[in-house]
Short mmCIF file of all heavy atoms in Angstrom, two decimals:
data_model
loop_
_atom_site.label_atom_id
_atom_site.label_comp_id
_atom_site.label_asym_id
_atom_site.label_seq_id
_atom_site.Cartn_x
_atom_site.Cartn_y
_atom_site.Cartn_z
N MET A 1048 -25.94 -10.77 -21.25
CA MET A 1048 -26.21 -9.66 -22.17
C MET A 1048 -25.01 -8.71 -22.20
O MET A 1048 -24.53 -8.27 -21.16
CB MET A 1048 -27.47 -8.92 -21.70
CG MET A 1048 -28.10 -8.10 -22.80
SD MET A 1048 -29.70 -7.42 -22.29
CE MET A 1048 -29.18 -5.93 -21.46
N GLU A 1049 -24.55 -8.39 -23.39
CA GLU A 1049 -23.41 -7.48 -23.51
C GLU A 1049 -23.84 -6.05 -23.23
O GLU A 1049 -24.90 -5.61 -23.67
CB GLU A 1049 -22.79 -7.56 -24.91
CG GLU A 1049 -21.77 -8.66 -25.08
CD GLU A 1049 -20.66 -8.60 -24.03
OE1 GLU A 1049 -20.06 -7.53 -23.85
OE2 GLU A 1049 -20.40 -9.64 -23.40
N GLN A 1050 -23.03 -5.33 -22.48
CA GLN A 1050 -23.34 -3.96 -22.15
C GLN A 1050 -22.29 -3.06 -22.79
O GLN A 1050 -21.10 -3.31 -22.68
CB GLN A 1050 -23.32 -3.80 -20.64
CG GLN A 1050 -24.18 -2.67 -20.17
CD GLN A 1050 -24.53 -2.83 -18.69
OE1 GLN A 1050 -23.92 -3.64 -17.99
NE2 GLN A 1050 -25.49 -2.08 -18.22
N GLU A 1051 -22.75 -2.04 -23.47
CA GLU A 1051 -21.80 -1.14 -24.11
C GLU A 1051 -21.21 -0.20 -23.06
O GLU A 1051 -21.94 0.37 -22.26
CB GLU A 1051 -22.49 -0.34 -25.21
CG GLU A 1051 -21.50 0.14 -26.26
CD GLU A 1051 -22.22 0.73 -27.47
OE1 GLU A 1051 -23.13 0.07 -27.98
OE2 GLU A 1051 -21.84 1.84 -27.86
N ILE A 1052 -19.92 -0.05 -23.08
CA ILE A 1052 -19.24 0.77 -22.08
C ILE A 1052 -18.85 2.11 -22.68
O ILE A 1052 -18.20 2.17 -23.71
CB ILE A 1052 -18.01 0.04 -21.53
CG1 ILE A 1052 -18.46 -1.21 -20.76
CG2 ILE A 1052 -17.18 0.96 -20.64
CD1 ILE A 1052 -17.34 -2.07 -20.26
N ASP A 1053 -19.30 3.16 -22.01
CA ASP A 1053 -18.97 4.51 -22.44
C ASP A 1053 -17.71 4.97 -21.70
O ASP A 1053 -17.72 5.10 -20.48
CB ASP A 1053 -20.15 5.42 -22.12
CG ASP A 1053 -19.90 6.85 -22.55
OD1 ASP A 1053 -18.80 7.13 -23.06
OD2 ASP A 1053 -20.81 7.68 -22.39
N PRO A 1054 -16.61 5.19 -22.41
CA PRO A 1054 -15.35 5.56 -21.75
C PRO A 1054 -15.41 6.89 -21.03
O PRO A 1054 -14.60 7.14 -20.14
CB PRO A 1054 -14.34 5.64 -22.91
CG PRO A 1054 -15.00 4.97 -24.05
CD PRO A 1054 -16.47 5.10 -23.86
N ASP A 1055 -16.36 7.75 -21.41
CA ASP A 1055 -16.44 9.07 -20.79
C ASP A 1055 -17.22 9.05 -19.48
O ASP A 1055 -17.17 9.99 -18.71
CB ASP A 1055 -17.10 10.07 -21.75
CG ASP A 1055 -16.24 10.31 -22.97
OD1 ASP A 1055 -15.01 10.26 -22.83
OD2 ASP A 1055 -16.80 10.53 -24.05
N LYS A 1056 -17.95 7.98 -19.27
CA LYS A 1056 -18.77 7.90 -18.06
C LYS A 1056 -17.96 7.24 -16.94
O LYS A 1056 -17.16 6.35 -17.18
CB LYS A 1056 -20.02 7.07 -18.35
CG LYS A 1056 -21.01 7.06 -17.20
CD LYS A 1056 -22.28 6.34 -17.63
CE LYS A 1056 -23.30 6.40 -16.50
NZ LYS A 1056 -23.41 5.19 -15.74
N VAL A 1057 -18.21 7.75 -15.72
CA VAL A 1057 -17.59 7.12 -14.56
C VAL A 1057 -18.58 6.11 -13.99
O VAL A 1057 -19.67 6.45 -13.60
CB VAL A 1057 -17.22 8.16 -13.49
CG1 VAL A 1057 -16.69 7.47 -12.24
CG2 VAL A 1057 -16.20 9.13 -14.03
N TYR A 1058 -18.17 4.86 -14.00
CA TYR A 1058 -19.05 3.82 -13.52
C TYR A 1058 -18.86 3.58 -12.04
O TYR A 1058 -17.73 3.55 -11.55
CB TYR A 1058 -18.78 2.52 -14.29
CG TYR A 1058 -19.25 2.60 -15.71
CD1 TYR A 1058 -18.40 3.04 -16.72
CD2 TYR A 1058 -20.56 2.28 -16.03
CE1 TYR A 1058 -18.84 3.14 -18.03
CE2 TYR A 1058 -21.01 2.39 -17.34
CZ TYR A 1058 -20.15 2.82 -18.33
OH TYR A 1058 -20.59 2.93 -19.61
N ASP A 1059 -19.99 3.43 -11.36
CA ASP A 1059 -19.95 3.11 -9.94
C ASP A 1059 -19.66 1.62 -9.79
O ASP A 1059 -20.34 0.78 -10.35
CB ASP A 1059 -21.30 3.46 -9.32
CG ASP A 1059 -21.25 3.37 -7.80
OD1 ASP A 1059 -20.43 2.62 -7.28
OD2 ASP A 1059 -22.05 4.07 -7.15
N TYR A 1060 -18.63 1.36 -9.01
CA TYR A 1060 -18.20 -0.03 -8.87
C TYR A 1060 -19.30 -0.90 -8.27
O TYR A 1060 -19.39 -2.09 -8.56
CB TYR A 1060 -16.95 -0.09 -8.00
CG TYR A 1060 -16.31 -1.45 -7.97
CD1 TYR A 1060 -15.59 -1.91 -9.08
CD2 TYR A 1060 -16.43 -2.27 -6.86
CE1 TYR A 1060 -15.01 -3.16 -9.06
CE2 TYR A 1060 -15.84 -3.52 -6.84
CZ TYR A 1060 -15.13 -3.96 -7.94
OH TYR A 1060 -14.57 -5.20 -7.92
N ALA A 1061 -20.14 -0.29 -7.41
CA ALA A 1061 -21.22 -1.05 -6.80
C ALA A 1061 -22.23 -1.52 -7.85
O ALA A 1061 -22.80 -2.60 -7.74
CB ALA A 1061 -21.92 -0.21 -5.74
N GLU A 1062 -22.40 -0.70 -8.89
CA GLU A 1062 -23.33 -1.06 -9.95
C GLU A 1062 -22.66 -1.88 -11.04
O GLU A 1062 -23.26 -2.73 -11.67
CB GLU A 1062 -23.90 0.21 -10.60
CG GLU A 1062 -24.92 0.94 -9.74
CD GLU A 1062 -25.40 2.20 -10.46
OE1 GLU A 1062 -26.04 2.07 -11.51
OE2 GLU A 1062 -25.09 3.29 -9.98
N PHE A 1063 -21.37 -1.58 -11.26
CA PHE A 1063 -20.66 -2.24 -12.33
C PHE A 1063 -19.35 -2.86 -11.82
O PHE A 1063 -18.27 -2.31 -12.04
CB PHE A 1063 -20.33 -1.25 -13.47
CG PHE A 1063 -21.56 -0.65 -14.10
CD1 PHE A 1063 -22.08 0.53 -13.62
CD2 PHE A 1063 -22.17 -1.28 -15.18
CE1 PHE A 1063 -23.21 1.09 -14.21
CE2 PHE A 1063 -23.30 -0.72 -15.76
CZ PHE A 1063 -23.83 0.46 -15.28
N PRO A 1064 -19.46 -3.95 -11.10
CA PRO A 1064 -18.24 -4.60 -10.64
C PRO A 1064 -17.44 -5.17 -11.81
O PRO A 1064 -18.00 -5.41 -12.88
CB PRO A 1064 -18.75 -5.72 -9.72
CG PRO A 1064 -20.15 -5.97 -10.16
CD PRO A 1064 -20.67 -4.67 -10.71
N ASP A 1065 -16.15 -5.34 -11.62
CA ASP A 1065 -15.31 -5.89 -12.68
C ASP A 1065 -15.82 -7.26 -13.11
O ASP A 1065 -16.16 -8.09 -12.28
CB ASP A 1065 -13.87 -6.05 -12.18
CG ASP A 1065 -13.23 -4.70 -11.91
OD1 ASP A 1065 -13.76 -3.70 -12.38
OD2 ASP A 1065 -12.18 -4.69 -11.24
N LYS A 1066 -15.87 -7.46 -14.40
CA LYS A 1066 -16.18 -8.82 -14.89
C LYS A 1066 -15.05 -9.74 -14.50
O LYS A 1066 -15.25 -10.85 -14.01
CB LYS A 1066 -16.34 -8.80 -16.41
CG LYS A 1066 -17.62 -8.15 -16.87
CD LYS A 1066 -17.64 -8.05 -18.39
CE LYS A 1066 -18.72 -7.08 -18.85
NZ LYS A 1066 -18.46 -6.61 -20.23
N VAL A 1067 -13.84 -9.27 -14.74
CA VAL A 1067 -12.66 -9.98 -14.26
C VAL A 1067 -12.00 -9.07 -13.23
O VAL A 1067 -11.65 -7.93 -13.54
CB VAL A 1067 -11.67 -10.28 -15.41
CG1 VAL A 1067 -10.45 -11.02 -14.88
CG2 VAL A 1067 -12.37 -11.09 -16.50
N SER A 1068 -11.87 -9.54 -12.03
CA SER A 1068 -11.39 -8.72 -10.92
C SER A 1068 -10.05 -8.06 -11.24
O SER A 1068 -9.09 -8.73 -11.64
CB SER A 1068 -11.27 -9.59 -9.67
OG SER A 1068 -10.88 -8.79 -8.58
N GLY A 1069 -9.98 -6.73 -11.07
CA GLY A 1069 -8.74 -6.01 -11.26
C GLY A 1069 -8.42 -5.70 -12.71
O GLY A 1069 -7.37 -5.17 -13.01
N ARG A 1070 -9.35 -6.00 -13.61
CA ARG A 1070 -9.12 -5.71 -15.02
C ARG A 1070 -10.22 -4.83 -15.58
O ARG A 1070 -11.36 -4.88 -15.13
CB ARG A 1070 -9.02 -7.01 -15.84
CG ARG A 1070 -7.72 -7.73 -15.59
CD ARG A 1070 -7.61 -8.95 -16.47
NE ARG A 1070 -6.33 -9.62 -16.24
CZ ARG A 1070 -5.23 -9.36 -16.94
NH1 ARG A 1070 -5.25 -8.48 -17.91
NH2 ARG A 1070 -4.12 -10.00 -16.67
N CYS A 1071 -9.86 -4.04 -16.57
CA CYS A 1071 -10.82 -3.17 -17.22
C CYS A 1071 -11.89 -3.98 -17.95
O CYS A 1071 -11.56 -4.93 -18.66
CB CYS A 1071 -10.08 -2.26 -18.20
SG CYS A 1071 -11.16 -1.22 -19.17
N ASP A 1072 -13.16 -3.62 -17.75
CA ASP A 1072 -14.24 -4.32 -18.43
C ASP A 1072 -14.19 -4.10 -19.94
O ASP A 1072 -14.65 -4.92 -20.71
CB ASP A 1072 -15.60 -3.82 -17.92
CG ASP A 1072 -15.90 -4.36 -16.54
OD1 ASP A 1072 -15.19 -5.27 -16.10
OD2 ASP A 1072 -16.84 -3.85 -15.92
N ASN A 1073 -13.63 -2.96 -20.32
CA ASN A 1073 -13.67 -2.57 -21.72
C ASN A 1073 -12.58 -3.24 -22.55
O ASN A 1073 -12.85 -3.83 -23.59
CB ASN A 1073 -13.55 -1.05 -21.80
CG ASN A 1073 -14.17 -0.51 -23.07
OD1 ASN A 1073 -15.11 -1.10 -23.61
ND2 ASN A 1073 -13.66 0.61 -23.54
N CYS A 1074 -11.34 -3.17 -22.08
CA CYS A 1074 -10.23 -3.71 -22.88
C CYS A 1074 -9.49 -4.84 -22.17
O CYS A 1074 -8.55 -5.39 -22.72
CB CYS A 1074 -9.26 -2.59 -23.26
SG CYS A 1074 -8.56 -1.75 -21.84
N ASN A 1075 -9.94 -5.16 -20.95
CA ASN A 1075 -9.42 -6.32 -20.23
C ASN A 1075 -7.95 -6.18 -19.85
O ASN A 1075 -7.28 -7.18 -19.59
CB ASN A 1075 -9.65 -7.60 -21.03
CG ASN A 1075 -9.75 -8.81 -20.12
OD1 ASN A 1075 -10.31 -8.73 -19.03
ND2 ASN A 1075 -9.21 -9.93 -20.55
N LEU A 1076 -7.44 -4.95 -19.83
CA LEU A 1076 -6.07 -4.75 -19.38
C LEU A 1076 -6.07 -4.33 -17.92
O LEU A 1076 -7.09 -3.94 -17.37
CB LEU A 1076 -5.39 -3.68 -20.24
CG LEU A 1076 -5.14 -4.08 -21.68
CD1 LEU A 1076 -4.51 -2.92 -22.45
CD2 LEU A 1076 -4.24 -5.31 -21.77
N ALA A 1077 -4.92 -4.40 -17.31
CA ALA A 1077 -4.83 -4.11 -15.87
C ALA A 1077 -3.92 -2.92 -15.59
O ALA A 1077 -3.21 -2.89 -14.60
CB ALA A 1077 -4.36 -5.35 -15.11
N TYR A 1078 -3.93 -1.95 -16.51
CA TYR A 1078 -3.13 -0.74 -16.30
C TYR A 1078 -4.05 0.40 -15.93
O TYR A 1078 -4.84 0.86 -16.75
CB TYR A 1078 -2.34 -0.39 -17.57
CG TYR A 1078 -1.42 -1.49 -17.99
CD1 TYR A 1078 -1.69 -2.23 -19.13
CD2 TYR A 1078 -0.28 -1.79 -17.24
CE1 TYR A 1078 -0.85 -3.25 -19.52
CE2 TYR A 1078 0.55 -2.81 -17.63
CZ TYR A 1078 0.27 -3.53 -18.77
OH TYR A 1078 1.09 -4.54 -19.15
N PHE A 1079 -3.95 0.84 -14.68
CA PHE A 1079 -4.87 1.86 -14.21
C PHE A 1079 -4.14 3.07 -13.63
O PHE A 1079 -3.05 2.95 -13.09
CB PHE A 1079 -5.79 1.29 -13.13
CG PHE A 1079 -6.69 0.20 -13.64
CD1 PHE A 1079 -6.48 -1.10 -13.27
CD2 PHE A 1079 -7.74 0.51 -14.49
CE1 PHE A 1079 -7.31 -2.11 -13.74
CE2 PHE A 1079 -8.57 -0.49 -14.97
CZ PHE A 1079 -8.35 -1.81 -14.59
N LYS A 1080 -4.80 4.20 -13.79
CA LYS A 1080 -4.37 5.44 -13.16
C LYS A 1080 -5.35 5.67 -12.02
O LYS A 1080 -6.56 5.76 -12.25
CB LYS A 1080 -4.43 6.56 -14.20
CG LYS A 1080 -3.95 7.89 -13.71
CD LYS A 1080 -3.82 8.84 -14.90
CE LYS A 1080 -5.16 9.08 -15.59
NZ LYS A 1080 -5.03 9.89 -16.81
N SER A 1081 -4.87 5.73 -10.81
CA SER A 1081 -5.77 5.80 -9.66
C SER A 1081 -5.65 7.12 -8.94
O SER A 1081 -4.58 7.71 -8.85
CB SER A 1081 -5.46 4.66 -8.68
OG SER A 1081 -5.60 3.43 -9.33
N SER A 1082 -6.78 7.62 -8.44
CA SER A 1082 -6.77 8.84 -7.64
C SER A 1082 -7.91 8.78 -6.64
O SER A 1082 -8.87 8.04 -6.81
CB SER A 1082 -6.91 10.07 -8.55
OG SER A 1082 -8.12 10.01 -9.25
N VAL A 1083 -7.78 9.60 -5.59
CA VAL A 1083 -8.85 9.69 -4.61
C VAL A 1083 -9.33 11.13 -4.57
O VAL A 1083 -8.55 12.05 -4.32
CB VAL A 1083 -8.37 9.25 -3.21
CG1 VAL A 1083 -9.49 9.43 -2.19
CG2 VAL A 1083 -7.91 7.80 -3.24
N THR A 1084 -10.60 11.34 -4.89
CA THR A 1084 -11.16 12.69 -4.90
C THR A 1084 -12.43 12.71 -4.06
O THR A 1084 -13.37 11.97 -4.34
CB THR A 1084 -11.49 13.12 -6.34
OG1 THR A 1084 -10.36 12.87 -7.16
CG2 THR A 1084 -11.82 14.59 -6.39
N GLY A 1085 -12.46 13.56 -3.04
CA GLY A 1085 -13.66 13.71 -2.22
C GLY A 1085 -14.12 12.41 -1.60
O GLY A 1085 -15.31 12.15 -1.51
N GLY A 1086 -13.16 11.59 -1.17
CA GLY A 1086 -13.51 10.34 -0.51
C GLY A 1086 -13.92 9.22 -1.45
O GLY A 1086 -14.32 8.15 -1.03
N VAL A 1087 -13.81 9.49 -2.75
CA VAL A 1087 -14.16 8.45 -3.73
C VAL A 1087 -12.90 8.04 -4.48
O VAL A 1087 -12.17 8.88 -5.00
CB VAL A 1087 -15.23 8.96 -4.73
CG1 VAL A 1087 -15.49 7.92 -5.80
CG2 VAL A 1087 -16.50 9.30 -4.00
N PHE A 1088 -12.69 6.78 -4.49
CA PHE A 1088 -11.54 6.23 -5.21
C PHE A 1088 -11.90 6.13 -6.68
O PHE A 1088 -12.92 5.54 -7.05
CB PHE A 1088 -11.20 4.85 -4.64
CG PHE A 1088 -10.06 4.19 -5.33
CD1 PHE A 1088 -8.75 4.54 -5.03
CD2 PHE A 1088 -10.28 3.19 -6.26
CE1 PHE A 1088 -7.69 3.92 -5.66
CE2 PHE A 1088 -9.22 2.56 -6.89
CZ PHE A 1088 -7.92 2.93 -6.59
N LEU A 1089 -11.06 6.73 -7.51
CA LEU A 1089 -11.33 6.70 -8.95
C LEU A 1089 -10.24 5.92 -9.67
O LEU A 1089 -9.05 6.21 -9.53
CB LEU A 1089 -11.40 8.12 -9.51
CG LEU A 1089 -11.81 8.24 -10.98
CD1 LEU A 1089 -13.26 7.83 -11.18
CD2 LEU A 1089 -11.61 9.67 -11.45
N ARG A 1090 -10.64 4.94 -10.41
CA ARG A 1090 -9.70 4.13 -11.16
C ARG A 1090 -9.97 4.31 -12.64
O ARG A 1090 -11.05 4.01 -13.13
CB ARG A 1090 -9.88 2.65 -10.77
CG ARG A 1090 -8.81 1.75 -11.31
CD ARG A 1090 -9.18 0.30 -11.12
NE ARG A 1090 -10.33 -0.05 -11.96
CZ ARG A 1090 -10.84 -1.26 -12.07
NH1 ARG A 1090 -10.37 -2.22 -11.36
NH2 ARG A 1090 -11.86 -1.49 -12.87
N GLU A 1091 -8.96 4.83 -13.32
CA GLU A 1091 -9.12 5.10 -14.74
C GLU A 1091 -8.19 4.22 -15.55
O GLU A 1091 -7.00 4.14 -15.27
CB GLU A 1091 -8.82 6.58 -15.01
CG GLU A 1091 -9.19 7.04 -16.39
CD GLU A 1091 -8.87 8.51 -16.60
OE1 GLU A 1091 -8.85 9.26 -15.60
OE2 GLU A 1091 -8.62 8.89 -17.74
N CYS A 1092 -8.74 3.58 -16.54
CA CYS A 1092 -7.94 2.70 -17.38
C CYS A 1092 -6.97 3.53 -18.24
O CYS A 1092 -7.36 4.51 -18.86
CB CYS A 1092 -8.86 1.88 -18.28
SG CYS A 1092 -7.98 0.79 -19.41
N ARG A 1093 -5.69 3.12 -18.24
CA ARG A 1093 -4.71 3.85 -19.03
C ARG A 1093 -4.87 3.58 -20.52
O ARG A 1093 -4.39 4.34 -21.35
CB ARG A 1093 -3.29 3.43 -18.60
CG ARG A 1093 -2.89 3.96 -17.24
CD ARG A 1093 -1.48 3.53 -16.91
NE ARG A 1093 -1.11 3.87 -15.54
CZ ARG A 1093 -0.60 5.04 -15.18
NH1 ARG A 1093 -0.39 5.97 -16.09
NH2 ARG A 1093 -0.30 5.28 -13.94
N GLU A 1094 -5.50 2.50 -20.84
CA GLU A 1094 -5.63 2.12 -22.24
C GLU A 1094 -6.81 2.82 -22.92
O GLU A 1094 -6.65 3.50 -23.91
CB GLU A 1094 -5.78 0.60 -22.33
CG GLU A 1094 -5.79 0.06 -23.75
CD GLU A 1094 -4.49 0.29 -24.48
OE1 GLU A 1094 -3.45 0.38 -23.81
OE2 GLU A 1094 -4.52 0.39 -25.73
N CYS A 1095 -8.00 2.67 -22.35
CA CYS A 1095 -9.20 3.19 -23.03
C CYS A 1095 -9.82 4.36 -22.28
O CYS A 1095 -10.74 4.99 -22.78
CB CYS A 1095 -10.22 2.07 -23.22
SG CYS A 1095 -10.94 1.49 -21.68
N GLY A 1096 -9.35 4.66 -21.06
CA GLY A 1096 -9.87 5.79 -20.32
C GLY A 1096 -11.16 5.50 -19.57
O GLY A 1096 -11.74 6.38 -18.95
N SER A 1097 -11.62 4.27 -19.61
CA SER A 1097 -12.82 3.90 -18.87
C SER A 1097 -12.57 4.05 -17.37
O SER A 1097 -11.58 3.55 -16.85
CB SER A 1097 -13.17 2.44 -19.20
OG SER A 1097 -14.22 1.99 -18.38
N ALA A 1098 -13.47 4.75 -16.69
CA ALA A 1098 -13.25 5.05 -15.29
C ALA A 1098 -14.28 4.36 -14.40
O ALA A 1098 -15.44 4.24 -14.75
CB ALA A 1098 -13.32 6.55 -15.06
N THR A 1099 -13.81 3.93 -13.26
CA THR A 1099 -14.69 3.31 -12.29
C THR A 1099 -14.47 3.99 -10.95
O THR A 1099 -13.33 4.17 -10.53
CB THR A 1099 -14.39 1.81 -12.15
OG1 THR A 1099 -14.46 1.20 -13.43
CG2 THR A 1099 -15.39 1.13 -11.23
N SER A 1100 -15.55 4.36 -10.29
CA SER A 1100 -15.42 4.97 -8.98
C SER A 1100 -15.75 3.95 -7.90
O SER A 1100 -16.59 3.08 -8.08
CB SER A 1100 -16.36 6.17 -8.84
OG SER A 1100 -17.70 5.74 -8.82
N LYS A 1101 -15.05 4.06 -6.81
CA LYS A 1101 -15.31 3.17 -5.69
C LYS A 1101 -15.41 4.01 -4.43
O LYS A 1101 -14.66 4.96 -4.26
CB LYS A 1101 -14.17 2.16 -5.54
CG LYS A 1101 -13.99 1.25 -6.74
CD LYS A 1101 -12.69 0.51 -6.63
CE LYS A 1101 -12.26 -0.11 -7.94
NZ LYS A 1101 -12.99 -1.31 -8.26
N GLN A 1102 -16.32 3.63 -3.57
CA GLN A 1102 -16.42 4.33 -2.30
C GLN A 1102 -15.17 4.09 -1.48
O GLN A 1102 -14.53 3.06 -1.58
CB GLN A 1102 -17.65 3.85 -1.53
CG GLN A 1102 -18.96 4.27 -2.18
CD GLN A 1102 -19.04 5.77 -2.42
OE1 GLN A 1102 -18.88 6.55 -1.49
NE2 GLN A 1102 -19.28 6.18 -3.64
N PHE A 1103 -14.86 5.09 -0.68
CA PHE A 1103 -13.60 5.08 0.05
C PHE A 1103 -13.48 3.89 1.00
O PHE A 1103 -12.41 3.38 1.24
CB PHE A 1103 -13.46 6.37 0.85
CG PHE A 1103 -12.07 6.66 1.28
CD1 PHE A 1103 -11.10 6.98 0.33
CD2 PHE A 1103 -11.71 6.64 2.61
CE1 PHE A 1103 -9.81 7.25 0.72
CE2 PHE A 1103 -10.42 6.91 3.01
CZ PHE A 1103 -9.46 7.22 2.06
N GLU A 1104 -14.62 3.40 1.51
CA GLU A 1104 -14.59 2.29 2.46
C GLU A 1104 -13.99 1.04 1.83
O GLU A 1104 -13.42 0.19 2.51
CB GLU A 1104 -16.00 1.96 2.97
CG GLU A 1104 -16.70 3.12 3.66
CD GLU A 1104 -17.46 3.97 2.67
OE1 GLU A 1104 -18.55 3.56 2.25
OE2 GLU A 1104 -16.96 5.04 2.29
N SER A 1105 -14.15 0.90 0.54
CA SER A 1105 -13.66 -0.30 -0.11
C SER A 1105 -12.23 -0.14 -0.61
O SER A 1105 -11.70 -0.99 -1.30
CB SER A 1105 -14.57 -0.69 -1.28
OG SER A 1105 -14.56 0.35 -2.23
N LEU A 1106 -11.60 0.99 -0.25
CA LEU A 1106 -10.25 1.26 -0.74
C LEU A 1106 -9.25 0.20 -0.29
O LEU A 1106 -8.35 -0.18 -1.04
CB LEU A 1106 -9.80 2.64 -0.26
CG LEU A 1106 -8.42 3.12 -0.74
CD1 LEU A 1106 -8.39 3.21 -2.26
CD2 LEU A 1106 -8.09 4.48 -0.14
N VAL A 1107 -9.43 -0.29 0.91
CA VAL A 1107 -8.51 -1.30 1.42
C VAL A 1107 -8.54 -2.55 0.54
O VAL A 1107 -7.50 -3.07 0.16
CB VAL A 1107 -8.85 -1.67 2.89
CG1 VAL A 1107 -8.04 -2.87 3.35
CG2 VAL A 1107 -8.58 -0.47 3.80
N SER A 1108 -9.73 -2.98 0.20
CA SER A 1108 -9.82 -4.17 -0.65
C SER A 1108 -9.28 -3.89 -2.05
O SER A 1108 -8.72 -4.76 -2.70
CB SER A 1108 -11.26 -4.66 -0.73
OG SER A 1108 -12.09 -3.66 -1.27
N VAL A 1109 -9.41 -2.62 -2.48
CA VAL A 1109 -8.86 -2.24 -3.78
C VAL A 1109 -7.34 -2.32 -3.75
O VAL A 1109 -6.70 -2.86 -4.66
CB VAL A 1109 -9.31 -0.82 -4.17
CG1 VAL A 1109 -8.56 -0.35 -5.41
CG2 VAL A 1109 -10.79 -0.78 -4.40
N LEU A 1110 -6.77 -1.79 -2.69
CA LEU A 1110 -5.31 -1.81 -2.56
C LEU A 1110 -4.80 -3.23 -2.48
O LEU A 1110 -3.79 -3.57 -3.08
CB LEU A 1110 -4.89 -1.01 -1.31
CG LEU A 1110 -5.05 0.50 -1.43
CD1 LEU A 1110 -4.78 1.17 -0.09
CD2 LEU A 1110 -4.12 1.08 -2.48
N LEU A 1111 -5.50 -4.06 -1.75
CA LEU A 1111 -5.11 -5.46 -1.65
C LEU A 1111 -5.11 -6.11 -3.02
O LEU A 1111 -4.23 -6.88 -3.36
CB LEU A 1111 -6.04 -6.21 -0.71
CG LEU A 1111 -5.86 -5.92 0.79
CD1 LEU A 1111 -6.94 -6.61 1.58
CD2 LEU A 1111 -4.48 -6.39 1.26
N ARG A 1112 -6.10 -5.74 -3.81
CA ARG A 1112 -6.19 -6.32 -5.14
C ARG A 1112 -5.05 -5.82 -6.03
O ARG A 1112 -4.53 -6.55 -6.87
CB ARG A 1112 -7.54 -5.93 -5.78
CG ARG A 1112 -7.76 -6.59 -7.11
CD ARG A 1112 -9.04 -6.13 -7.73
NE ARG A 1112 -10.19 -6.44 -6.90
CZ ARG A 1112 -11.37 -5.81 -7.00
NH1 ARG A 1112 -11.52 -4.85 -7.85
NH2 ARG A 1112 -12.36 -6.14 -6.23
N LEU A 1113 -4.65 -4.56 -5.83
CA LEU A 1113 -3.56 -4.02 -6.63
C LEU A 1113 -2.23 -4.67 -6.26
O LEU A 1113 -1.35 -4.87 -7.10
CB LEU A 1113 -3.44 -2.51 -6.42
CG LEU A 1113 -4.58 -1.67 -7.04
CD1 LEU A 1113 -4.44 -0.22 -6.63
CD2 LEU A 1113 -4.56 -1.77 -8.55
N ILE A 1114 -2.10 -5.02 -4.97
CA ILE A 1114 -0.85 -5.61 -4.51
C ILE A 1114 -0.72 -7.05 -4.98
O ILE A 1114 0.34 -7.46 -5.45
CB ILE A 1114 -0.77 -5.53 -2.96
CG1 ILE A 1114 -0.63 -4.05 -2.53
CG2 ILE A 1114 0.41 -6.35 -2.43
CD1 ILE A 1114 -0.87 -3.83 -1.05
N TYR A 1115 -1.82 -7.80 -4.86
CA TYR A 1115 -1.72 -9.23 -5.18
C TYR A 1115 -2.09 -9.52 -6.62
O TYR A 1115 -3.08 -9.18 -7.09
CB TYR A 1115 -2.61 -10.02 -4.21
CG TYR A 1115 -2.12 -9.92 -2.80
CD1 TYR A 1115 -2.82 -9.20 -1.85
CD2 TYR A 1115 -0.92 -10.53 -2.43
CE1 TYR A 1115 -2.36 -9.09 -0.55
CE2 TYR A 1115 -0.46 -10.41 -1.12
CZ TYR A 1115 -1.17 -9.69 -0.19
OH TYR A 1115 -0.71 -9.57 1.07
ZN1 ZN B 2319 -9.70 -0.18 -20.60
#
């Protein structure tokens, strides 16, 4: 089932994991602006602005994904 993605909403990664790992669900590009606020890793797509939040514990796996 297709899910409409609201670019203004911050999606929780636990609820909305990437369809394709490391790529934006909305535009399928891999250009992200990343920040950490209050222990939550925030990944915002540079193309469409769709944001995904990740808990800080999973930051290591996020970084690994960004590197490889
Ligand atoms: Zn996007």
